[in-house]
């Protein structure tokens, strides 16, 4: 069996087997050179030994060798010399060349002649002679698979032959399962142990064959296969349409294809019934609780556990009290070989023995129940809600789905299906599954049903799938008003509906959407959840956050170290997104991303990626920001989260605007307007204005920048429930000053002071101080100077450099030339380091206006980082971005970004000029000048993309 269904043309595509293939290369080379030897491949079932034999055969054929093959067969295991006949059949025409003694012995052994049965040593000698005669024309490679299934006579003879190949141009490569007995004598032969694939290789193999698969399903399959190539390729076959399969719909034990059953079930069938029953109980328990299994075995008379260990199917770790199966698919094979009645009895026994452990008791009781049972369904729902509160969102949704299946037809089943649809969409990323579950809920109870759950699921789907803000808002408000239980803080659905309503209000971007939310939160009893209160104020209207609420927000951030719930981590991160505290959330957000990659809450992982991407942009880690955003956007596309793409695309567009890729930035803004307008998604429109404002400022188009910044929040006011006004505050002030709108700038500064914007974060304090310095010619700038120099304020390099550019230009106009040069030079250096070329050019123009002809302190090679120098030299040598990326283990996008930064540093405008520029700077050495002779136009210097 070849992993890819081919023997010669595709075997070189084996994933993760480079060391084994290298060993086979060396082995085949020695055989071709006349040094006969044997090599054994040993490993677990399905690990890919046959594929490696195919590889060896292909290598031998390519080297001009002749290949003879045989495979052990269970059905021929009792036929003497059956495997030997299979192996030697292509060269039996050479038998007459042997001596009469050897030819006669071989003919009798292979059933081609009559006579007394020859001794096996004589047969082995005859085989060696035949191989030697055949190899006179071309070297031979014997390929033997499934050694344990060889018939006894063939196995003994081939074992003798394998140790007598020295000096012949004949090699033998054979495969056997580790630990399985057989008649082939392995002693003294070289052995290559074929291990399971690494996590990275397993992922590559699975995704190469099944590229359309949700991350959670992929994680589940990787865990089940545990690096076994056959399992990785076969398990998805039984799951149907992987593009729409969700983790919550997968069975506890994955079904096996016939090929997998053949591999993993052979030993199980040979075991006594009591041993199989004990293994079934252990498999269905699934926790590896050795004490439980030992207690069951003791109550049944003992001995079964020892027999199970002797079969090598399980291992008992006495020190850790753990029972582990040799491979997870052995568990699946055990379950599949049992009947449904046997499984129900086993679950019932486990439920009885685990009565003191509520979660495990409820699950086994549910699995033991065949008919709908409201008591069991209610018990399982309680466990699901408890798991959701402690952060196990995936388990909770699985349990809710099972509770719905066990609910009698009617309102109970309908409500639980709706809750599963809502919570599944909300926390696990199974957004595309929601419509199907909602339709099942409607069919289960054609009446009004559980209005809040249904409304929550539909609103969430409308918001994230279609972006229909107004309909989602109306659905939720109507449901909250129509349900008396909507005041209970202990009702998880009520709380989740309010969180969904909060995001509807945010994306709507209109002040009139928020009062019903605050009213619903205030009505919660005994008190609203702390995080819900914090989020509704800090994220909704941060400019008016009271000192008390700001302290409560900081306290929520401080609790993240112990937080296990992905949803609460994300909500805390969202709460502080406009308060410049995302850096304090990094570790917790990274945990959410890891959890999502491992099969956890995908929607939370998407939001964590975008929050960290936003943080990386503001803190000057732009390459990391792009990588995070790209991953998040890929997940959005895979799961149908259209709305969530926009925060990610916002950061990507701001990066493009800062780097001077105006076409890309403005294109994104245009897409945002087209999408947001018919949906009345106001915040997306604000995103578009922000992008255009930043792009215009970089190009020096201050009129355009002013109109876009003012569209987010009018001059002279920080509009209520317009949090994005905090991010464009500096844009509006700077653009107003440059366009002669001094009154508007002063009014906007006054609005910031009225809200005490400077107390929210050190960055906002810098922004407000800078606004004061440039709007009031009589203002005392000592505080601004101190804030700029204050340690730690360089954590926002782009913002700081922008402030220094604006302030430096103001100082130049006020004839404070020396101070202006210092700020402008610092701004220029920061902009070049970030790759913000248009901003660096603005700073350079301001510097030239102070009488300094060049901006930076070094040019040529001296101005490049080591990595930039290496990339520039490879590009000058003619390598494409893709080739450079492969050589330096970078992405092509990263190479392109580096080149975009290199061109202006070298004072060139095209890739073709790289070689001369590097040669000139190399000859001249490091020049201590103030900058390159000229700056390239950013529209012309963008590196080529190959």
């Amino acid at each position: 069996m070849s992993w890819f269904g081919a023997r010669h043309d595709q075997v070189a595509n084996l994933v993760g087997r480079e060391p084994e293939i290298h060993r086979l290369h060396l082995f085949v080379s020695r055989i071709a050179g006349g040094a006969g030897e044997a090599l054994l491949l040993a490993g677990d079932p399905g690990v890919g030994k046959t594929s490696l034999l195919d590889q060896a055969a292909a290598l031998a054929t390519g080297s001009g060798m002749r290949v003879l093959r045989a495979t052990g067969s269970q059905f021929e295991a009792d036929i003497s010399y059956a495997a030997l006949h299979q192996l030697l059949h292509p060269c039996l025409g050479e038998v007459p060349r042997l001596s009469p003694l050897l030819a006669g012995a071989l003919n009798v052994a292979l059933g081609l002649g009559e006579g007394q049965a020859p001794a096996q040593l004589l047969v082995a000698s005859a085989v060696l002679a035949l191989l030697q005669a055949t190899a006179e024309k071309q070297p031979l490679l014997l390929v033997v698979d499934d050694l344990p299934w060889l018939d006894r006579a063939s196995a003994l003879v081939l074992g003798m032959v394998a140790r007598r190949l020295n000096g012949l141009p004949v090699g033998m490569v054979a495969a056997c399962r580790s630990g399985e007995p057989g008649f082939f004598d392995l002693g003294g032969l070289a052995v290559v142990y074929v291990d399971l694939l690494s996590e990275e290789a397993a992922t590559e193999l699975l995704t190469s064959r099944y590229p359309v698969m949700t991350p959670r399903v992929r994680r589940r399959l990787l865990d089940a296969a545990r690096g076994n190539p056959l399992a990785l390729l076969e398990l998805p076959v039984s799951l149907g349409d992987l593009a729409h399969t969700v983790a919550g719909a997968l069975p506890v034990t994955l079904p096996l294809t016939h090929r997998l059953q053949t591999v993993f079930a052979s030993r199980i069938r040979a075991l006594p019934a009591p041993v199989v029953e004990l293994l079934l109980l252990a498999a269905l328990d699934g926790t590896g609780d050795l004490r439980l299994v030992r207690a069951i075995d003791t109550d049944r008379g003992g001995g079964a556990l020892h027999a199970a260990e002797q079969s090598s199917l399980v291992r008992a770790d006495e020190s850790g009290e753990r029972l582990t199966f040799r491979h997870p698919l052995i568990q699946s094979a055990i379950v599949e070989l049992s009947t449904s009645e046997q499984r129900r009895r086993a679950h019932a026994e486990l439920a009885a023995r685990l009565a003191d452990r509520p979660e495990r008791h409820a699950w086994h009781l549910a699995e033991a129940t065949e008919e709908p049972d409201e008591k069991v369904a209610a018990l399982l729902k309680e466990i699901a809600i408890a798991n959701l509160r402690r952060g196990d969102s995936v388990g909770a949704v699985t349990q809710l789905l099972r509770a719905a299946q066990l609910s009698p037809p009617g309102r109970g089943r309908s409500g639980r299906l709706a809750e599963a649809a809502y919570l599944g969409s909300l926390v696990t990323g199974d957004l595309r599954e929601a419509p199907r579950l909602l339709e099942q809920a409607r069919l289960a109870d054609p009446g009004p049903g559980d209005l809040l759950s249904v409304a929550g699921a539909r609103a969430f789907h409308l918001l994230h799938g279609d972006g229909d803000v107004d309909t989602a808002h109306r659905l939720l408000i109507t449901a909250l008003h129509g349900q008396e239980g909507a005041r209970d803080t202990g009702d998880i659905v009520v709380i989740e509906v309010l969180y969904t309503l909060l995001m509807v209000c945010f994306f709507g971007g209109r002040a009139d959407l928020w009062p019903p939310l605050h009213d619903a939160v205030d009505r919660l009893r005994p008190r609203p959840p702390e995080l819900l209160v914090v989020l509704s104020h800090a994220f909704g209207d941060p400019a008016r956050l009271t000192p008390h609420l700001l302290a409560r927000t900081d306290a929520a951030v401080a609790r993240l170290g112990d937080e296990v719930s992905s949803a609460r981590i994300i909500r805390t991160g969202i709460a502080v997104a406009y308060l410049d505290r995302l850096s304090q959330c990094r570790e917790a957000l990274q945990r959410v991303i890891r959890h999502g990659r491992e099969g956890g809450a995908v929607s939370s992982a998407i939001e964590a990626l975008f929050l960290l991407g936003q943080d990386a942009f503001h803190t000057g880690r732009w390459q990391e920001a792009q990588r995070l955003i790209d991953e998040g956007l890929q997940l959005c596309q895979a799961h149908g989260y259209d709305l969530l793409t926009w925060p990610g695309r916002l950061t990507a567009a701001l990066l493009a605007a800062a780097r001077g890729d105006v076409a890309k930035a403005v294109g994104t803004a245009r897409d945002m307007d087209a999408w947001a307008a018919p949906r009345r998604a106001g915040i997306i429109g604000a995103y578009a204005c922000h992008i255009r404002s930043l792009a215009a400022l970089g190009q020096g188009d201050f009129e355009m920048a002013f109109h876009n910044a003012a569209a987010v929040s009018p001059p002279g006011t920080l509009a209520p429930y317009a949090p994005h006004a905090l991010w464009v505050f500096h844009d509006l002030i700077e653009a107003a000053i440059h366009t002669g709108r001094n009154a508007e700038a002063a009014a906007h500064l006054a609005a910031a002071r009225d809200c005490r914007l400077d107390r929210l974060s050190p960055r906002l304090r810098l922004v407000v101080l800078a606004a004061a310095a440039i709007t009031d010619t009589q203002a005392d700038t000592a505080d601004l100077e101190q804030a700029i120099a204050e340690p730690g304020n360089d954590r926002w390099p782009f913002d700081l450099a922008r402030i220094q550019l604006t302030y430096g230009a103001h100082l130049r106009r006020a004839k404070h030339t020396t101070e202006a040069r210092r700020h402008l030079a610092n701004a220029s250096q920061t902009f070049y380091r970030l790759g913000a070329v248009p901003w660096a050019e603005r700073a350079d123009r301001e510097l030239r206006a102070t009488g300094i002809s060049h901006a930076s302190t070094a040019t040529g090679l001296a101005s490049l980082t080591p990595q930039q120098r290496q990339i520039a030299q490879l590009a000058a040598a003619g390598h494409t971005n893709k080739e450079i990326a492969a050589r330096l283990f970078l992405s092509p996008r990263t190479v392109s970004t580096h080149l975009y930064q290199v061109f202006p540093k070298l004072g060139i405008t095209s890739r073709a000029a790289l070689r001369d520029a590097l040669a000139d700077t190399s000859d001249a050495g490091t020049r201590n000048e103030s900058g390159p002779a000229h700056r390239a136009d950013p529209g012309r210097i963008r590196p080529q993309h190959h």
Side-chain angles (χ1 to χ4, degrees):
M1 184 277 301
S2 171
W3 299 358
F4 297 87
R7 288 202 176 272
H8 299 298
D9 58 341
Q10 296 183 17
V11 287
N13 291 327
L14 295 184
V15 174
R17 293 301 183 207
E18 291 78 11
E20 292 88 349
I21 292 173
H22 178 67
R23 179 74 179 268
L24 291 175
H25 267 287
L26 296 177
F27 172 76
V28 170
S29 297
R30 289 194 296 270
I31 303 305
E37 61 177 303
L39 180 68
L40 299 180
L41 303 176
D44 289 339
V47 80
K49 301 182 296 297
T50 301
S51 295
L52 288 169
L53 292 180
D54 291 343
Q55 178 73 67
L59 291 171
T61 301
S63 299
M65 300 172 64
R66 184 178 184 184
V67 177
L68 304 178
R69 300 187 69 133
T71 300
S73 170
Q74 180 180 0
F75 305 104
E76 294 184 347
D78 295 327
I79 303 174
S80 294
Y81 295 116
L84 192 64
H85 186 281
Q86 183 187 161
L87 182 71
L88 300 179
H89 185 267
C91 55
L92 291 180
E94 303 291 337
V95 172
R97 295 179 55 193
L98 305 182
S99 68
L101 178 63
L102 295 178
L106 194 57
N107 280 328
V108 170
L110 299 180
L112 303 175
E114 296 182 357
Q116 186 176 355
Q120 288 169 340
L121 182 58
L122 183 60
V123 176
S125 298
V127 171
L128 282 168
L130 178 62
L131 295 175
Q132 184 175 15
T134 305
E136 289 176 358
K137 298 178 181 178
Q138 62 184 132
L140 288 177
L141 179 66
L142 312 180
V143 178
V144 184
D145 201 359
D146 278 338
L147 285 181
W149 286 114
L150 296 185
D151 62 273
R152 179 188 180 103
S154 295
L156 292 173
V157 167
L158 288 176
M160 297 177 192
V161 169
R163 275 179 292 280
R164 292 166 172 80
L165 295 176
N166 189 34
L168 299 178
V170 179
M172 178 190 294
V173 59
C176 64
R177 295 181 183 180
S178 299
E180 283 205 1
F183 299 108
F184 187 96
D185 186 1
L186 307 177
L189 300 179
V191 180
V192 171
Y193 292 98
V194 184
D195 291 328
L196 299 169
L197 293 176
S198 66
E199 174 82 5
E200 181 181 4
T203 303
E204 181 183 350
L205 177 60
L206 186 61
T207 54
S208 67
R209 175 61 71 88
Y210 303 101
V212 181
M213 183 186 300
T214 65
R216 189 173 303 105
V217 171
R218 184 180 297 114
R219 179 70 264 164
R220 176 74 186 281
L221 293 175
L222 288 170
D223 289 341
R226 200 184 288 173
N228 186 291
L230 177 63
L232 287 164
L233 295 178
E234 288 287 315
L235 278 175
V237 172
S238 58
L239 298 182
D241 183 2
L242 291 170
H244 297 94
T245 300
V246 295
L250 296 182
V252 177
T253 54
L254 297 175
L256 303 185
T257 62
H258 176 72
R259 295 170 74 183
L260 286 175
Q261 279 189 343
T262 301
V263 169
F264 288 98
S266 57
R267 292 188 190 178
I268 300 168
R269 291 192 178 97
L271 295 173
V275 179
V276 176
E277 290 176 9
L278 186 68
L279 288 173
L280 177 62
L281 286 160
L284 294 177
D285 172 60
T287 66
D289 188 343
L290 181 59
R291 287 172 295 184
L292 173 64
V293 177
R294 191 187 295 117
I296 295 173
D297 185 38
T298 300
D299 291 346
R300 293 180 172 214
L305 179 58
H306 177 72
E309 288 185 81
Q310 292 296 108
S311 71
S312 297
L313 295 175
V314 293
R315 301 185 186 94
D317 178 7
E318 299 292 342
S319 61
E321 295 290 345
R322 296 279 300 168
L323 183 75
T324 58
F325 284 84
R326 184 172 179 178
H327 193 280
L329 293 185
I330 293 175
Q331 291 176 262
S332 294
I334 290 167
V335 172
E336 288 217 348
L337 289 172
S338 65
T339 65
S340 59
E341 179 59 31
Q342 287 172 328
R343 292 192 292 274
R344 282 195 296 273
R345 285 201 306 267
H347 279 298
E349 180 175 349
L350 290 168
R353 288 180 177 273
L354 296 168
D356 59 337
R357 303 180 194 182
E359 183 176 344
R360 292 170 67 189
H361 169 73
W363 181 254
H364 288 299
L365 195 59
E367 291 300 290
T369 303
E370 188 174 6
E371 300 295 329
D373 188 315
E374 176 59 28
K375 289 183 179 180
V376 176
L379 179 61
L380 197 57
K381 178 184 173 180
E382 288 179 14
I383 298 300
I385 298 303
N387 280 337
L388 187 64
R389 288 197 173 101
R390 75 180 192 202
D392 182 10
S393 53
V394 177
V397 173
T398 301
Q399 290 153 354
L400 272 175
L401 285 170
R402 181 62 178 143
Q405 292 170 356
L406 290 173
S407 301
R411 182 164 184 169
R413 176 178 290 183
S414 176
R416 285 164 189 150
L417 282 168
E419 287 178 8
Y422 179 38
L423 297 175
S425 298
L426 186 67
V427 297
T428 67
D430 295 332
L431 186 64
R432 291 170 175 163
E433 188 70 357
R436 183 183 67 82
L437 292 175
L438 285 173
E439 177 62 15
Q440 290 181 7
R442 186 188 67 79
L443 295 175
D445 182 15
D450 191 334
L451 190 58
L452 198 58
S453 297
V454 172
R458 287 177 177 161
F460 192 89
H461 193 266
L462 280 169
L463 179 66
H464 287 277
D466 303 322
D468 191 342
V469 171
D470 288 340
T471 304
H473 189 270
R474 185 170 58 253
L475 266 175
L476 294 176
I477 295 301
T478 302
L480 285 166
H481 286 164
Q483 186 152 327
E484 198 60 36
R487 299 185 180 187
D488 182 8
T489 303
D491 190 330
I492 192 73
V493 174
V494 170
I495 303 305
E496 293 300 331
V497 162
L498 288 173
Y499 277 120
T500 300
L501 178 58
L502 191 154
M503 298 313 295
V504 170
C505 295
F506 170 75
F507 280 106
R510 303 190 302 277
D512 61 291
L513 298 176
W514 287 87
L517 167 70
H518 289 301
D519 178 62
V521 172
D522 291 341
R523 288 189 296 118
L524 289 173
R525 296 293 179 268
R527 70 177 67 86
E530 175 69 2
L531 186 54
L532 180 59
V533 175
V534 164
L535 182 62
S536 63
H537 291 280
F539 190 52
D541 196 9
R544 291 164 182 78
L545 200 62
T546 66
H548 178 60
L549 276 170
L550 183 59
R552 290 166 69 179
T553 303
D554 285 332
V557 173
R559 290 191 291 269
L560 286 179
D562 299 322
E563 186 56 73
V564 297
S565 166
S566 292
R568 284 195 290 270
I569 291 172
I570 290 302
R571 286 160 181 166
T572 304
I574 290 173
V576 301
Y578 286 107
L579 299 174
D580 302 315
R581 286 160 171 78
L582 281 176
S583 295
Q584 301 171 40
C585 307
R586 280 181 198 165
E587 189 277 331
L589 291 170
Q590 286 164 351
R591 276 190 275 129
V592 173
I593 294 171
R594 287 195 298 271
H595 181 57
R597 287 169 178 161
E598 293 167 359
V602 173
S603 58
S604 294
I606 292 171
E607 292 179 293
L609 285 162
F610 289 160
L611 287 169
L612 285 179
Q614 180 191 118
D615 175 60
F617 171 70
H618 287 299
T619 54
R621 297 171 290 115
W622 287 4
Q623 292 180 33
E624 180 183 348
Q626 191 67 63
R627 177 181 58 79
L628 290 164
I629 296 305
D630 288 345
E631 182 179 353
L633 291 175
Q634 289 170 4
L635 287 175
C636 284
Q637 183 177 9
H639 292 271
Y641 278 98
D642 293 341
L643 184 74
L644 281 187
T645 62
W646 296 120
R649 292 188 67 185
L650 167 66
T651 303
L654 292 177
L655 276 167
R659 288 169 168 163
D661 191 347
V662 176
K664 177 180 178 181
V666 173
T668 300
R670 191 181 303 115
D671 292 344
M672 287 177 169
D673 283 334
W675 190 90
R679 295 169 172 82
R680 299 188 50 175
I683 194 64
I684 310 302
Y687 289 174
C689 290
H690 185 186
I691 294 165
R692 282 192 292 265
S693 172
L694 189 67
L697 286 171
Q699 300 297 306
D701 187 347
F702 299 107
E703 188 69 28
M704 175 68 74
F706 176 81
H707 285 295
N708 278 280
V712 177
S713 183
T717 181
L718 291 172
Y721 300 105
H724 221 69
L726 273 62
W727 280 4
V728 298
F729 178 83
H730 186 73
D731 294 17
L732 193 148
I733 294 284
E734 182 184 5
I737 293 295
H738 277 280
T739 56
R741 295 181 173 92
N742 293 348
E744 285 88 341
H748 212 54
L749 173 62
R753 284 172 166 166
D754 288 343
C755 291
R756 294 190 58 198
L757 208 62
D758 58 334
R759 66 187 164 78
L760 296 181
S761 78
R763 186 190 69 85
L764 287 170
R765 179 171 179 268
L766 261 175
V767 168
V768 173
L769 288 173
I774 64 175
T775 56
D776 184 0
T777 56
Q778 305 301 318
D780 183 359
T781 60
D783 286 343
L784 176 59
E785 291 279 0
Q786 182 179 351
I788 289 174
E790 191 172 311
N793 274 351
D794 58 353
R795 76 189 80 169
W796 304 287
F798 186 54
D799 289 281
L800 181 60
R802 286 186 58 191
I803 287 170
Q804 289 183 295
L805 170 58
T806 304
Y807 181 47
H810 169 74
L811 290 172
R812 179 187 66 77
R813 290 191 294 272
K815 308 301 183 185
H816 300 299
T817 306
T818 301
E819 294 88 342
R821 287 172 177 171
R822 174 166 54 87
H823 288 292
L824 292 170
N826 288 338
S828 175
Q829 290 175 5
T830 299
F831 288 139
Y832 276 118
R833 176 171 58 82
L834 291 172
V837 175
W839 295 83
E841 292 180 339
R842 275 189 57 193
D844 287 354
R845 287 193 295 271
E846 289 288 346
L847 269 171
R848 286 194 291 272
T850 68
I852 295 180
S853 59
H854 302 302
S856 62
T857 59
T859 66
L861 292 180
S863 68
L864 305 185
T865 67
Q867 190 170 68
Q868 287 174 340
R869 183 180 304 188
Q870 193 174 15
I871 290 172
Q873 289 169 340
L874 289 170
H879 294 285
T880 66
N881 288 7
K882 187 174 182 181
E883 290 168 345
I884 297 170
R887 180 172 296 195
L888 300 182
F889 302 102
L890 300 171
S891 70
R893 185 189 295 272
T894 298
V895 172
S896 177
T897 299
H898 276 304
L899 285 173
Y900 190 56
Q901 297 167 2
V902 163
F903 284 16
K905 289 184 177 183
L906 296 181
I908 60 175
T909 60
S910 71
R911 197 183 188 101
L914 264 175
R915 180 175 299 182
D916 292 340
L918 291 174
D920 289 345
T921 53
S922 231
D923 293 339
T926 301
R927 293 180 295 177
N928 189 17
E929 298 178 359
S930 55
H934 62 276
R935 296 292 177 194
D937 174 49
R940 291 164 41 218
I941 65 171
R942 195 166 300 116
Q944 302 169 30
H945 293 272
H946 295 279

